[in-house]
Amino acid sequence: MRSFFSALLLLLLSVSFSFSQSTAKLYINASDPRVTISRHIYGHFSEHLGRCIYDGFWVGENSSIPNKGRIRLDIVEALKKIKIPNLRWPGGCFADEYHWRDGIGPRKQRPTMINTNWGNVTEDNSFGTHEFLELCDMLGCEPYITGNVGSGTVSEMNNWVEYLNFDGQSPLTTLRKENGRNKPWNVSFWGVGNESWGCGGNMTPEYYVNEYKRYATFAKNYPNARLKKIACGASDGDYNWTDVLMKNVGTRMWGLSLHYYTVPKSWSDKGSATSFDEKEYFTTMKKCLFMDELVTRHGTIMDKYDPDKRVAMVVDEWGIWTNVEPDSNPAFLYQQNSLRDALVAGTTLNIFNNHADRVRMANLAQTVNVLQSLVLTQGNKMLLTPTYHVFDLYKVHQDAKLLPLQLNVPDYQYGDQKMPAVNASASVDSTGAIHISLVNLDAAHTIPVTTTISGSNWHTVEGQVLTAAKFTDINTFDQPGNIRPVPFSHARKEGDQLVANLPPLSVVVLTLK
């Protein structure tokens, strides 16, 4: 008899353990939200690289594609829909070989240059300062300009700031008016160089500190245009770079950048954007989750010198980087965009949201036809990628208040490796609506999530889900709607709790009112 009860107890424990390992529990504190999720976390990046600007935003002079002053209108409307808050330009590595005066004035008189970073193609400078800022005006977003520290001069950057932001009389403001712009643009976000540890000059952090101070000193504030200067920060886990910058620059910068790319395999063979197995998918998502450790550890160093968190962490290059598409120019970094990319985007944005006390700006690389794009174009055709749809779903978090959460989730296991199967973030907007974004990384299992919310008396739930049958699924120009958000009907209120069943490989956003 004893052996029977022992066996029964073991069976019950086994069932209980199995149940606990296949379900997730989420606890959200809505009692006293204080931290704002800055809308600038949802920023984007457009470099003079491949077909991002030319044959992306910027169409031919006599193009039949609907445009305004050569700026492609279907892309503009798509980006306005997701409330793009800022756009970084002109690079990237290109920024440190770009001389802004070459891109102003009558287009036929602008000198050409060679884009040595991205394929040695000829840059005709037809898309320059005025064109970029007209694009930002059309998008209703803030420009984020990266100045040339690598091959430029202090005077060059100082003059660019004056050309854009001074409203008085000077030779530069006269030149601006002659070029068609009477009033200043009042650009506040300025990057002082890009990747100065690499393509921006191969500098040591100690050397860059002095360069930053010199350039930043002469980048002047003007009335209605107080600069938010962003120093070049670390690549990946270079924690020493962050320490040196925080120790020697500290709060004399508005923000400090961080760059990290999710590379599925290795830098020598990054892996295909569309052809990969579960092992490679698993490895990719585990590398994506490493962003949380990077933000935490760099943030801890920043806290040591800046406990009040006055300096923003600016993750102004992030995303998945794969091999280019077959038969495309290897220097143009054109890659397709699968459901895996959407899961990378949703997971990364959840990480940024949950670190919103320090991460106050970020820029996905890049907006059109380059790396993890929002938009792909082919002649007059345009498609919205799975990544675009994540930004559309997550726009509810922009400038909402972060709701702290605790998450107890099962593991997603592959071989002897494992990682959390579910990640999430939550916020409350100005109307009192609560938004919860959840990502199920598990490739095979639906995961029930039971959520307890303290400090909120909610009554209804509705949601949307982005998913597909396979992590390799993509949108194509012939079938642009393969992967798109659809209404989510597997969430309900049970007593005081929210219960949702997350499909495998899914991004779900719920709204509680």
Side-chain angles (χ1 to χ4, degrees):
M1 183 67 71
R2 181 177 298 173
S3 62
F4 170 79
F5 283 114
S6 297
L8 180 61
L9 178 60
L10 286 172
L11 176 63
L12 291 172
L13 287 173
S14 174
V15 170
S16 174
F17 180 78
S18 174
F19 177 76
S20 67
Q21 292 303 292
S22 63
T23 62
K25 291 189 177 295
L26 176 61
Y27 304 89
I28 297 175
N29 181 5
S31 301
D32 186 24
R34 297 183 180 184
V35 174
T36 297
I37 299 174
S38 171
R39 67 185 183 279
H40 290 295
I41 285 174
Y42 291 82
H44 296 281
F45 175 31
S46 290
E47 183 170 5
H48 287 244
L49 194 174
R51 297 192 302 116
C52 185
I53 301 296
Y54 303 102
D55 201 30
F57 280 114
W58 191 242
V59 299
E61 197 162 5
N62 299 308
S63 176
S64 61
I65 299 171
N67 67 89
K68 179 183 177 183
R70 295 180 62 181
I71 294 173
R72 184 167 174 155
L73 291 177
D74 54 0
I75 295 178
V76 169
E77 291 307 310
L79 296 180
K80 285 171 65 177
K81 183 176 184 291
I82 63 172
K83 299 182 179 179
I84 176 174
N86 68 75
L87 187 62
R88 183 175 181 241
W89 174 85
C93 293
F94 180 80
D96 281 298
E97 64 176 356
Y98 181 68
H99 301 283
W100 69 271
R101 284 180 180 268
D102 294 344
I104 61 172
R107 292 193 190 114
K108 292 183 179 180
Q109 297 177 20
R110 297 179 189 180
T112 60
M113 62 175 285
I114 304 301
N115 189 337
T116 62
N117 282 288
W118 304 117
N120 289 325
V121 296
T122 299
E123 162 70 55
D124 71 2
N125 281 307
S126 61
F127 187 94
T129 295
H130 287 252
E131 291 77 17
F132 169 67
L133 292 168
E134 175 63 21
L135 170 61
C136 290
D137 283 346
M138 293 170 66
L139 292 171
C141 75
E142 290 197 49
Y144 169 17
I145 290 179
T146 302
N148 183 345
V149 171
S151 68
T153 66
V154 170
S155 177
E156 182 178 17
M157 184 170 170
N158 172 29
N159 288 340
W160 202 4
V161 174
E162 181 182 329
Y163 183 86
L164 297 183
N165 290 351
F166 185 47
D167 197 22
Q169 293 295 321
S170 77
L172 285 169
T173 58
T174 298
L175 179 61
R176 183 188 71 222
K177 292 172 184 177
E178 290 173 353
N179 289 331
R181 177 76 181 195
N182 187 47
K183 286 294 183 181
W185 285 280
N186 297 327
V187 176
S188 62
F189 289 119
W190 282 85
V192 183
N194 167 77
E195 294 190 356
S196 300
W197 37 262
C199 64
N202 285 300
M203 304 175 193
T204 64
E206 291 81 7
Y207 185 87
Y208 174 74
V209 161
N210 289 326
E211 290 294 275
Y212 173 84
K213 290 178 180 177
R214 197 162 64 98
Y215 277 77
T217 297
F218 290 94
K220 303 292 187 179
N221 293 319
Y222 294 103
N224 301 316
R226 185 169 185 83
L227 301 191
K228 296 174 180 174
K229 301 168 190 174
I230 299 168
C232 170
S235 170
D236 305 343
D238 186 354
Y239 302 112
N240 178 62
W241 186 285
T242 298
D243 191 86
V244 171
L245 265 290
M246 290 303 300
K247 180 179 180 180
N248 293 284
V249 178
T251 57
R252 285 174 287 182
M253 54 187 166
W254 179 84
L256 180 63
S257 73
L258 171 65
H259 289 182
Y260 175 68
Y261 287 95
T262 298
V263 177
K265 294 174 71 174
S266 68
W267 281 105
S268 59
D269 176 15
K270 301 177 186 70
S272 168
T274 57
S275 179
F276 50 90
D277 58 16
E278 186 177 357
K279 179 181 179 181
E280 191 169 321
Y281 163 74
F282 183 93
T283 301
T284 302
M285 298 316 303
K286 196 160 190 179
K287 289 182 176 182
C288 169
L289 286 167
F290 184 59
M291 179 68 84
D292 188 65
E293 179 178 329
L294 288 171
V295 170
T296 299
R297 292 187 63 181
H298 283 289
T300 299
I301 295 168
M302 296 175 76
D303 288 347
K304 180 171 70 171
Y305 299 102
D306 174 31
D308 295 329
K309 301 184 188 294
R310 293 170 58 190
V311 179
M313 185 182 294
V314 179
V315 191
D316 56 14
E317 288 189 30
W318 69 271
I320 186 170
W321 192 330
T322 69
N323 294 334
V324 301
E325 289 303 292
D327 301 320
S328 68
N329 188 323
F332 281 12
L333 306 187
Y334 177 77
Q335 63 191 50
Q336 246 292 358
N337 197 288
S338 70
L339 178 63
R340 178 180 66 175
D341 297 52
L343 298 169
V344 167
T347 298
T348 304
L349 291 171
N350 280 339
I351 291 169
F352 292 161
N353 287 348
N354 289 324
H355 288 277
D357 59 341
R358 180 63 81 177
V359 179
R360 296 200 285 278
M361 192 172 188
N363 301 82
L364 175 71
Q366 296 187 10
T367 316
V368 185
N369 291 330
V370 172
L371 298 175
Q372 190 175 351
S373 305
L374 299 176
V375 173
L376 301 178
T377 66
Q378 185 183 83
N380 63 355
K381 294 181 180 180
M382 182 196 81
L383 69 79
L384 305 177
T385 67
T387 296
Y388 171 91
H389 293 304
V390 171
F391 275 83
D392 194 18
L393 291 173
Y394 276 50
K395 67 188 178 187
V396 294
H397 291 305
Q398 291 190 24
D399 286 338
K401 293 290 186 180
L402 176 69
L403 297 181
L405 57 79
Q406 292 181 320
L407 193 55
N408 182 10
V409 303
D411 287 326
Y412 169 30
Q413 190 159 350
Y414 186 85
D416 60 354
Q417 297 287 310
K418 61 184 179 180
M419 62 182 167
V422 175
N423 59 81
S425 64
S427 66
V428 58
D429 66 22
S430 59
T431 71
I434 291 175
H435 305 284
I436 307 170
S437 49
L438 300 134
V439 180
N440 180 6
L441 301 178
D442 196 298
H445 297 100
T446 294
I447 298 182
V449 180
T450 301
T451 303
T452 301
I453 305 172
S454 64
S456 173
N457 186 24
W458 62 280
H459 302 284
T460 64
V461 57
E462 60 183 26
Q464 290 184 288
V465 59
L466 186 74
T467 189
K470 302 187 296 294
F471 39 62
T472 53
D473 284 350
I474 61 174
N475 289 335
T476 68
F477 290 103
D478 293 329
Q479 295 181 304
N482 284 340
I483 304 175
R484 56 185 175 82
V486 296
F488 182 69
S489 59
H490 299 287
R492 63 193 183 277
K493 187 172 187 180
E494 289 189 0
D496 292 333
Q497 292 186 320
L498 168 68
V499 177
N501 295 319
L502 307 182
L505 303 170
S506 66
V507 179
V508 173
V509 175
L510 303 175
T511 297
L512 281 57
K513 296 181 180 178

